[in-house]
Amino acid sequence: MRRVTLVTVLLAACVAAAAASAQMPKGRDGGMGSMGGRSGGGGPAEGRVMSANITELVNIRLSQLEEDLNLTQPQLPAWNTYKTRVLQLLDDTKRGARVSASEASAPKRLDALADMARNRLTAVEDIVDAGKALYAVLTPEQKNIADRRLALPLVTLTGNDTGGDVQLRLPPPPAPAKQ
């Protein structure tokens, strides 16, 4: 019963994340807007700051985690499996729904949405398995880091991470020409 509840919650989170990302307004850069980032006092201030979009945020989370874990050569296969599975789910999430409203009846579209959610749940379970396998080969110091951050890329993919702690610094706008 508990597994069914967990599966249902994860399934709902994946569907909700896909729906929410499809409804997010796009910023001028094609990203997902500011997502809580600040632009230093409003207006075109020097050192403008913008939060990362989901793709950037997942990649930042993975890169920082890999760097901070300081993995050894024997640990790299487990890391690569984990990273690959996260990136595969990211790619799948970016592709979104593959059934057009004009191509199928409502029951077929509903079945396709359920299939998509099941596939994403399987991908999440694969990430969980890969994460546990990676965790098993980490040192106690690395496990301390992993306890805090190993799940962050997956949390980001399910729409529960705004990336408030990660800021991309954009170059300041060019100075106006003097006349």
Side-chain angles (χ1 to χ4, degrees), residues 24-37 50-53:
M24 288 292 288
K26 302 287 183 194
R28 281 185 288 159
D29 65 344
M32 292 181 40
S34 67
M35 287 178 47
M50 184 184 82
S51 291
N53 68 29

Side-chain angles (χ1 to χ4, degrees), residues 56-144:
E56 292 168 333
L57 188 54
V58 169
N59 283 306
I60 289 168
R61 295 272 188 230
L62 287 169
S63 295
Q64 288 175 341
L65 181 59
E66 182 176 15
E67 183 179 322
D68 292 347
L69 286 174
N70 196 20
L71 298 162
T72 64
Q73 196 65 33
Q75 295 170 325
L76 286 177
W79 167 258
N80 289 332
T81 300
Y82 172 77
K83 181 177 177 179
T84 298
R85 290 188 178 163
V86 169
L87 293 175
Q88 286 171 340
L89 180 57
L90 175 63
D91 287 342
D92 185 56
T93 302
K94 288 191 312 188
R95 279 192 297 273
R98 294 172 195 87
V99 176
S100 169
S102 64
E103 295 178 14
S105 66
K108 286 184 180 181
R109 287 193 310 270
L110 291 170
D111 286 341
L113 288 170
D115 288 342
M116 182 178 67
R118 277 190 286 274
N119 290 340
R120 289 197 178 155
L121 175 60
T122 299
V124 168
E125 290 172 336
D126 289 345
I127 292 169
V128 169
D129 291 344
K132 288 178 179 178
L134 171 61
Y135 191 84
V137 299
L138 297 177
T139 66
E141 295 81 19
Q142 290 170 318
K143 285 181 179 180
N144 190 26

